[in-house]
Amino acid sequence: MTDTARGTSRRYGSRPTMKDVAARAGVGLKTVSRVVNGEPGVTPDTERRVQDAITALGFRRNDSARILRKGRTASIGLVLEDLADPFYGPLNRAVEEVARDHGALLINGSSAEDPAREQELVLALCARRVDGLVIIPAADDHRYLEPEIAAGVATVFVDRPAGRIEADTVLSDSFGGARDAVAHLIAHGHRRIGFLGDQPRIHTAAERLRGYRSAMAAAGLPVDEAWVSLGSTAPDRVRFAATAMLDGPRPVTALFAGNNRVTVTAVRVLAERPRPVALVGFDDFELADLISPAITVVAQDAARLGRTAATMLFRRLDGTDGPPRREEIPTRLIPRGSGELPPPADS
Amino acid sequence: MTDTARGTSRRYGSRPTMKDVAARAGVGLKTVSRVVNGEPGVTPDTERRVQDAITALGFRRNDSARILRKGRTASIGLVLEDLADPFYGPLNRAVEEVARDHGALLINGSSAEDPAREQELVLALCARRVDGLVIIPAADDHRYLEPEIAAGVATVFVDRPAGRIEADTVLSDSFGGARDAVAHLIAHGHRRIGFLGDQPRIHTAAERLRGYRSAMAAAGLPVDEAWVSLGSTAPDRVRFAATAMLDGPRPVTALFAGNNRVTVTAVRVLAERPRPVALVGFDDFELADLISPAITVVAQDAARLGRTAATMLFRRLDGTDGPPRREEIPTRLIPRGSGELPPPADS
DNA sequence: CTGAAAGCGCTTACAG
DNA sequence: CTGAAAGCGCTTACAG
């Protein structure tokens, strides 16, 4: 009886619609819509009949259809470098929480640090008509987003700035954090300090290098270019670069590692060496305090980066106008031991 | 001129549609659809006119509308406990990669270990008509999913089994891994071994406890119930429980920690104590080898869990029928030092 | 309080 | 090769 009322529509994979519910309850489509959406103007009796039909048929409103009609999709996209990178976990979670507070779902994906893949993913999200985007960019040219932004897709860049367009941005203070880290090493007596950084086309890597140079210059210390190595964070490359600095003609007595992955490899390299070398790493990581010596770091507040970006996004969606904004999140130096090691007496 | 052709539809926030493109190119709607979807049967000249209109208007196909008509949404949902937990990062990424290979987007969210929130999130995803779901369950009753599964939503549970329904499932071998860990400690001379586990209603926690008991029994060792503590993974609770076992009337000489968060706290507790205590942790974690002593772990292959689950999901979507399947992913004991410490001579 | 008609932006099935 | 009509499952605007 139930099935017949809906014709053949009970076959596996198909779902009842409001039309089916209306037919079963013996009411109009709009009345079902009213009940489903809790709108007023339905008698208790009618409402109950509709509710019964909903339960009997296992109806669940198709939000895709609703979205098509309403305009807003109540979903936002988050594009980051790698969902598996622990640094982005708290950021991801923070964006999710803000989205949830605004009743939105979160679609996310990894760019794998590939500009083409970033663009493909971002445009796929735009085709799905996400209301907004939070992007940790891999590309350095985002002009491809201009038509989308003009069409109303709110966009906020986090962790790294947008390339060749003006957009809302939330960044950590990479320059200041790096400067503080190197100044800290200098204050502990170091004069030859190595910088192990990420690829120079990445904004944060460039900023951290700038902070390194600024601190060295402020202390009147010359920088031997053999002490600066930027490139992939692949362990082999970092290991090679660190070893070259430590065993070169003018060996460094301290290392500043430009991000968490570099720090991890640096820790491994230093653990194998007979004499201690000072180390400060950009980015905090779990158990940094349990390694011996405990690792001094410049900590970023990844959750706050995400929260700030998502909040900015929803503010735009709520109608806040005005020119693109840039917010900077401070970093914090956490001394734990490795950054307070003195240079060797004979250096 | 361009704007006039589309009437007022160029206002901020609105987007051109195929109808707009058709009008501008002077062709029918269906011809635009053909060009946009690369279907055959369009003369090069017509195609060029349509392409020009697309470019001029900044048209991007609305995939939400397309989805409504086509049935499949080309998106899947992933519900896990906490996007910020590093254990789930590789799983998340693996699911994303498989989804991407199948042209699907990934919507994900955290249940925060709250059954109500899991259900709310899962049903929201069903309302969006995701094609399938990968769920790391927080709830222990999933009958709420029965109508959805009957309606064709493919569902795979990972890391923990579904509650009170039959469903495809991918699990790590928690029992075997725990048994191996405890047997390893026994082989190194321990007879009084503590188990620090997660909440007993979590399946993996129960399985690991079962593995602990099995290994003790197999070696003919009695278990003092003061050596078993299950509960929240909050550091304070774990610290309290570990301390009680270590300082009790029959002090343990070794600890088996039931997951990564427990292990981290256990490491901290042991680092503060004068004499070494053996430790094996379930779940590997970064830098476990750099702590002193390096931490012996039972490693799960989280990426493989995710890959297997997502592959199973798309196989169902591709039409594979048959009863629910269960796959078990082996674990691997990695001796690094902490699990090979002998008991104290006077024990 | 209730419902029929039109429309969101596409695709499907069909006819020329 | 091309396009008009119907429909996916909802909501909006309106009329009774």
Side-chain angles (χ1 to χ4, degrees), chain A residues 288-314:
Chain A
D289 59 324
L290 285 179
I291 297 168
S292 188
I295 309 301
T296 296
V297 300
V298 176
Q300 298 189 68
D301 192 340
R304 187 168 155 195
L305 279 171
R307 207 180 316 120
T308 305
T311 302
M312 204 180 264
L313 186 75
F314 281 101

PDB file of all heavy atoms in Angstrom, chain A residues 288-314:
ATOM      1  N   ALA A 288      58.099  18.226  21.986  1.00  0.00           N
ATOM      2  CA  ALA A 288      59.335  18.988  21.829  1.00  0.00           C
ATOM      3  C   ALA A 288      60.042  19.131  23.173  1.00  0.00           C
ATOM      4  O   ALA A 288      61.262  19.262  23.236  1.00  0.00           O
ATOM      5  CB  ALA A 288      59.033  20.374  21.245  1.00  0.00           C
ATOM      6  N   ASP A 289      59.286  19.071  24.240  1.00  0.00           N
ATOM      7  CA  ASP A 289      59.878  19.244  25.566  1.00  0.00           C
ATOM      8  C   ASP A 289      60.450  17.945  26.132  1.00  0.00           C
ATOM      9  O   ASP A 289      61.096  17.961  27.175  1.00  0.00           O
ATOM     10  CB  ASP A 289      58.836  19.799  26.536  1.00  0.00           C
ATOM     11  CG  ASP A 289      57.626  18.888  26.651  1.00  0.00           C
ATOM     12  OD1 ASP A 289      57.242  18.287  25.619  1.00  0.00           O
ATOM     13  OD2 ASP A 289      57.085  18.757  27.747  1.00  0.00           O
ATOM     14  N   LEU A 290      60.206  16.830  25.465  1.00  0.00           N
ATOM     15  CA  LEU A 290      60.698  15.557  25.999  1.00  0.00           C
ATOM     16  C   LEU A 290      61.971  15.087  25.332  1.00  0.00           C
ATOM     17  O   LEU A 290      62.602  14.131  25.771  1.00  0.00           O
ATOM     18  CB  LEU A 290      59.616  14.484  25.858  1.00  0.00           C
ATOM     19  CG  LEU A 290      58.475  14.630  26.871  1.00  0.00           C
ATOM     20  CD1 LEU A 290      57.448  13.557  26.661  1.00  0.00           C
ATOM     21  CD2 LEU A 290      59.009  14.584  28.301  1.00  0.00           C
ATOM     22  N   ILE A 291      62.334  15.736  24.253  1.00  0.00           N
ATOM     23  CA  ILE A 291      63.600  15.420  23.606  1.00  0.00           C
ATOM     24  C   ILE A 291      64.707  16.031  24.456  1.00  0.00           C
ATOM     25  O   ILE A 291      64.488  16.982  25.192  1.00  0.00           O
ATOM     26  CB  ILE A 291      63.611  16.004  22.180  1.00  0.00           C
ATOM     27  CG1 ILE A 291      62.513  15.340  21.361  1.00  0.00           C
ATOM     28  CG2 ILE A 291      64.961  15.843  21.516  1.00  0.00           C
ATOM     29  CD1 ILE A 291      62.261  16.030  20.052  1.00  0.00           C
ATOM     30  N   SER A 292      65.891  15.467  24.369  1.00  0.00           N
ATOM     31  CA  SER A 292      66.978  15.982  25.184  1.00  0.00           C
ATOM     32  C   SER A 292      68.102  16.486  24.282  1.00  0.00           C
ATOM     33  O   SER A 292      68.667  15.696  23.542  1.00  0.00           O
ATOM     34  CB  SER A 292      67.488  14.858  26.086  1.00  0.00           C
ATOM     35  OG  SER A 292      68.398  15.363  26.993  1.00  0.00           O
ATOM     36  N   PRO A 293      68.465  17.763  24.269  1.00  0.00           N
ATOM     37  CA  PRO A 293      67.788  18.814  25.035  1.00  0.00           C
ATOM     38  C   PRO A 293      66.418  19.114  24.449  1.00  0.00           C
ATOM     39  O   PRO A 293      66.202  18.907  23.268  1.00  0.00           O
ATOM     40  CB  PRO A 293      68.724  20.006  24.864  1.00  0.00           C
ATOM     41  CG  PRO A 293      69.356  19.802  23.532  1.00  0.00           C
ATOM     42  CD  PRO A 293      69.520  18.318  23.400  1.00  0.00           C
ATOM     43  N   ALA A 294      65.520  19.613  25.287  1.00  0.00           N
ATOM     44  CA  ALA A 294      64.194  20.010  24.814  1.00  0.00           C
ATOM     45  C   ALA A 294      64.337  21.116  23.782  1.00  0.00           C
ATOM     46  O   ALA A 294      65.249  21.941  23.873  1.00  0.00           O
ATOM     47  CB  ALA A 294      63.352  20.485  25.995  1.00  0.00           C
ATOM     48  N   ILE A 295      63.442  21.120  22.801  1.00  0.00           N
ATOM     49  CA  ILE A 295      63.630  22.003  21.653  1.00  0.00           C
ATOM     50  C   ILE A 295      62.966  23.368  21.858  1.00  0.00           C
ATOM     51  O   ILE A 295      61.762  23.472  22.083  1.00  0.00           O
ATOM     52  CB  ILE A 295      63.059  21.356  20.373  1.00  0.00           C
ATOM     53  CG1 ILE A 295      63.605  19.930  20.185  1.00  0.00           C
ATOM     54  CG2 ILE A 295      63.374  22.214  19.157  1.00  0.00           C
ATOM     55  CD1 ILE A 295      65.114  19.852  20.074  1.00  0.00           C
ATOM     56  N   THR A 296      63.775  24.388  21.752  1.00  0.00           N
ATOM     57  CA  THR A 296      63.275  25.755  21.801  1.00  0.00           C
ATOM     58  C   THR A 296      62.605  26.075  20.468  1.00  0.00           C
ATOM     59  O   THR A 296      63.169  25.797  19.415  1.00  0.00           O
ATOM     60  CB  THR A 296      64.447  26.725  22.040  1.00  0.00           C
ATOM     61  OG1 THR A 296      65.007  26.440  23.332  1.00  0.00           O
ATOM     62  CG2 THR A 296      63.984  28.177  21.993  1.00  0.00           C
ATOM     63  N   VAL A 297      61.414  26.629  20.534  1.00  0.00           N
ATOM     64  CA  VAL A 297      60.694  26.907  19.284  1.00  0.00           C
ATOM     65  C   VAL A 297      60.063  28.287  19.268  1.00  0.00           C
ATOM     66  O   VAL A 297      59.881  28.921  20.309  1.00  0.00           O
ATOM     67  CB  VAL A 297      59.553  25.880  19.047  1.00  0.00           C
ATOM     68  CG1 VAL A 297      60.086  24.461  18.945  1.00  0.00           C
ATOM     69  CG2 VAL A 297      58.490  25.997  20.133  1.00  0.00           C
ATOM     70  N   VAL A 298      59.737  28.721  18.068  1.00  0.00           N
ATOM     71  CA  VAL A 298      58.851  29.858  17.860  1.00  0.00           C
ATOM     72  C   VAL A 298      57.496  29.254  17.534  1.00  0.00           C
ATOM     73  O   VAL A 298      57.337  28.617  16.496  1.00  0.00           O
ATOM     74  CB  VAL A 298      59.327  30.728  16.682  1.00  0.00           C
ATOM     75  CG1 VAL A 298      58.329  31.853  16.425  1.00  0.00           C
ATOM     76  CG2 VAL A 298      60.717  31.279  16.959  1.00  0.00           C
ATOM     77  N   ALA A 299      56.543  29.393  18.431  1.00  0.00           N
ATOM     78  CA  ALA A 299      55.248  28.739  18.248  1.00  0.00           C
ATOM     79  C   ALA A 299      54.278  29.642  17.509  1.00  0.00           C
ATOM     80  O   ALA A 299      54.157  30.824  17.812  1.00  0.00           O
ATOM     81  CB  ALA A 299      54.668  28.350  19.611  1.00  0.00           C
ATOM     82  N   GLN A 300      53.597  29.049  16.528  1.00  0.00           N
ATOM     83  CA  GLN A 300      52.489  29.741  15.890  1.00  0.00           C
ATOM     84  C   GLN A 300      51.204  29.240  16.519  1.00  0.00           C
ATOM     85  O   GLN A 300      51.124  28.103  16.953  1.00  0.00           O
ATOM     86  CB  GLN A 300      52.403  29.401  14.408  1.00  0.00           C
ATOM     87  CG  GLN A 300      53.588  29.800  13.594  1.00  0.00           C
ATOM     88  CD  GLN A 300      53.281  29.613  12.116  1.00  0.00           C
ATOM     89  OE1 GLN A 300      52.450  30.321  11.550  1.00  0.00           O
ATOM     90  NE2 GLN A 300      53.948  28.663  11.491  1.00  0.00           N
ATOM     91  N   ASP A 301      50.199  30.079  16.491  1.00  0.00           N
ATOM     92  CA  ASP A 301      48.907  29.662  17.013  1.00  0.00           C
ATOM     93  C   ASP A 301      48.019  29.276  15.831  1.00  0.00           C
ATOM     94  O   ASP A 301      47.248  30.090  15.320  1.00  0.00           O
ATOM     95  CB  ASP A 301      48.300  30.803  17.827  1.00  0.00           C
ATOM     96  CG  ASP A 301      47.098  30.350  18.634  1.00  0.00           C
ATOM     97  OD1 ASP A 301      46.515  29.308  18.284  1.00  0.00           O
ATOM     98  OD2 ASP A 301      46.753  31.040  19.597  1.00  0.00           O
ATOM     99  N   ALA A 302      48.158  28.017  15.402  1.00  0.00           N
ATOM    100  CA  ALA A 302      47.462  27.568  14.187  1.00  0.00           C
ATOM    101  C   ALA A 302      45.955  27.621  14.357  1.00  0.00           C
ATOM    102  O   ALA A 302      45.224  27.990  13.435  1.00  0.00           O
ATOM    103  CB  ALA A 302      47.906  26.158  13.823  1.00  0.00           C
ATOM    104  N   ALA A 303      45.474  27.270  15.539  1.00  0.00           N
ATOM    105  CA  ALA A 303      44.027  27.310  15.766  1.00  0.00           C
ATOM    106  C   ALA A 303      43.521  28.749  15.637  1.00  0.00           C
ATOM    107  O   ALA A 303      42.466  29.002  15.052  1.00  0.00           O
ATOM    108  CB  ALA A 303      43.690  26.750  17.144  1.00  0.00           C
ATOM    109  N   ARG A 304      44.306  29.675  16.152  1.00  0.00           N
ATOM    110  CA  ARG A 304      43.869  31.071  16.073  1.00  0.00           C
ATOM    111  C   ARG A 304      43.906  31.574  14.632  1.00  0.00           C
ATOM    112  O   ARG A 304      43.056  32.378  14.223  1.00  0.00           O
ATOM    113  CB  ARG A 304      44.759  31.936  16.971  1.00  0.00           C
ATOM    114  CG  ARG A 304      44.268  33.350  17.084  1.00  0.00           C
ATOM    115  CD  ARG A 304      44.980  34.122  18.184  1.00  0.00           C
ATOM    116  NE  ARG A 304      44.959  35.554  17.916  1.00  0.00           N
ATOM    117  CZ  ARG A 304      45.728  36.435  18.522  1.00  0.00           C
ATOM    118  NH1 ARG A 304      46.588  36.035  19.451  1.00  0.00           N
ATOM    119  NH2 ARG A 304      45.660  37.708  18.220  1.00  0.00           N
ATOM    120  N   LEU A 305      44.887  31.116  13.871  1.00  0.00           N
ATOM    121  CA  LEU A 305      44.920  31.471  12.449  1.00  0.00           C
ATOM    122  C   LEU A 305      43.608  31.031  11.786  1.00  0.00           C
ATOM    123  O   LEU A 305      42.960  31.805  11.068  1.00  0.00           O
ATOM    124  CB  LEU A 305      46.078  30.755  11.742  1.00  0.00           C
ATOM    125  CG  LEU A 305      47.490  31.337  11.845  1.00  0.00           C
ATOM    126  CD1 LEU A 305      48.501  30.348  11.269  1.00  0.00           C
ATOM    127  CD2 LEU A 305      47.585  32.662  11.098  1.00  0.00           C
ATOM    128  N   GLY A 306      43.227  29.792  12.035  1.00  0.00           N
ATOM    129  CA  GLY A 306      42.027  29.254  11.408  1.00  0.00           C
ATOM    130  C   GLY A 306      40.765  29.956  11.879  1.00  0.00           C
ATOM    131  O   GLY A 306      39.878  30.297  11.084  1.00  0.00           O
ATOM    132  N   ARG A 307      40.698  30.184  13.179  1.00  0.00           N
ATOM    133  CA  ARG A 307      39.518  30.825  13.752  1.00  0.00           C
ATOM    134  C   ARG A 307      39.354  32.243  13.217  1.00  0.00           C
ATOM    135  O   ARG A 307      38.257  32.670  12.847  1.00  0.00           O
ATOM    136  CB  ARG A 307      39.648  30.846  15.279  1.00  0.00           C
ATOM    137  CG  ARG A 307      38.350  30.873  16.030  1.00  0.00           C
ATOM    138  CD  ARG A 307      38.587  30.893  17.531  1.00  0.00           C
ATOM    139  NE  ARG A 307      39.607  29.956  17.955  1.00  0.00           N
ATOM    140  CZ  ARG A 307      40.742  30.278  18.586  1.00  0.00           C
ATOM    141  NH1 ARG A 307      40.996  31.542  18.890  1.00  0.00           N
ATOM    142  NH2 ARG A 307      41.607  29.352  18.924  1.00  0.00           N
ATOM    143  N   THR A 308      40.467  32.953  13.167  1.00  0.00           N
ATOM    144  CA  THR A 308      40.422  34.333  12.687  1.00  0.00           C
ATOM    145  C   THR A 308      39.996  34.381  11.226  1.00  0.00           C
ATOM    146  O   THR A 308      39.157  35.196  10.827  1.00  0.00           O
ATOM    147  CB  THR A 308      41.809  34.987  12.848  1.00  0.00           C
ATOM    148  OG1 THR A 308      42.216  34.856  14.208  1.00  0.00           O
ATOM    149  CG2 THR A 308      41.781  36.443  12.456  1.00  0.00           C
ATOM    150  N   ALA A 309      40.559  33.482  10.427  1.00  0.00           N
ATOM    151  CA  ALA A 309      40.234  33.472   9.000  1.00  0.00           C
ATOM    152  C   ALA A 309      38.768  33.137   8.772  1.00  0.00           C
ATOM    153  O   ALA A 309      38.073  33.811   8.001  1.00  0.00           O
ATOM    154  CB  ALA A 309      41.118  32.462   8.273  1.00  0.00           C
ATOM    155  N   ALA A 310      38.286  32.118   9.457  1.00  0.00           N
ATOM    156  CA  ALA A 310      36.904  31.701   9.249  1.00  0.00           C
ATOM    157  C   ALA A 310      35.930  32.771   9.742  1.00  0.00           C
ATOM    158  O   ALA A 310      34.896  33.030   9.115  1.00  0.00           O
ATOM    159  CB  ALA A 310      36.646  30.373   9.957  1.00  0.00           C
ATOM    160  N   THR A 311      36.282  33.399  10.844  1.00  0.00           N
ATOM    161  CA  THR A 311      35.430  34.466  11.370  1.00  0.00           C
ATOM    162  C   THR A 311      35.357  35.621  10.374  1.00  0.00           C
ATOM    163  O   THR A 311      34.288  36.185  10.110  1.00  0.00           O
ATOM    164  CB  THR A 311      35.980  34.952  12.722  1.00  0.00           C
ATOM    165  OG1 THR A 311      36.041  33.829  13.605  1.00  0.00           O
ATOM    166  CG2 THR A 311      35.085  36.017  13.329  1.00  0.00           C
ATOM    167  N   MET A 312      36.493  35.963   9.810  1.00  0.00           N
ATOM    168  CA  MET A 312      36.555  37.021   8.802  1.00  0.00           C
ATOM    169  C   MET A 312      35.680  36.655   7.600  1.00  0.00           C
ATOM    170  O   MET A 312      34.953  37.483   7.056  1.00  0.00           O
ATOM    171  CB  MET A 312      38.017  37.163   8.367  1.00  0.00           C
ATOM    172  CG  MET A 312      38.398  38.500   7.797  1.00  0.00           C
ATOM    173  SD  MET A 312      40.164  38.494   7.331  1.00  0.00           S
ATOM    174  CE  MET A 312      40.913  39.203   8.763  1.00  0.00           C
ATOM    175  N   LEU A 313      35.737  35.381   7.225  1.00  0.00           N
ATOM    176  CA  LEU A 313      34.951  34.904   6.080  1.00  0.00           C
ATOM    177  C   LEU A 313      33.463  35.085   6.325  1.00  0.00           C
ATOM    178  O   LEU A 313      32.735  35.642   5.495  1.00  0.00           O
ATOM    179  CB  LEU A 313      35.253  33.431   5.820  1.00  0.00           C
ATOM    180  CG  LEU A 313      34.613  32.823   4.578  1.00  0.00           C
ATOM    181  CD1 LEU A 313      35.344  33.299   3.342  1.00  0.00           C
ATOM    182  CD2 LEU A 313      34.633  31.307   4.644  1.00  0.00           C
ATOM    183  N   PHE A 314      33.002  34.638   7.477  1.00  0.00           N
ATOM    184  CA  PHE A 314      31.561  34.721   7.744  1.00  0.00           C
ATOM    185  C   PHE A 314      31.118  36.164   7.954  1.00  0.00           C
ATOM    186  O   PHE A 314      29.965  36.501   7.697  1.00  0.00           O
ATOM    187  CB  PHE A 314      31.178  33.821   8.924  1.00  0.00           C
ATOM    188  CG  PHE A 314      31.075  32.378   8.527  1.00  0.00           C
ATOM    189  CD1 PHE A 314      32.106  31.489   8.799  1.00  0.00           C
ATOM    190  CD2 PHE A 314      29.968  31.917   7.833  1.00  0.00           C
ATOM    191  CE1 PHE A 314      32.019  30.161   8.400  1.00  0.00           C
ATOM    192  CE2 PHE A 314      29.874  30.600   7.434  1.00  0.00           C
ATOM    193  CZ  PHE A 314      30.903  29.712   7.713  1.00  0.00           C
TER     194      PHE A 314
END
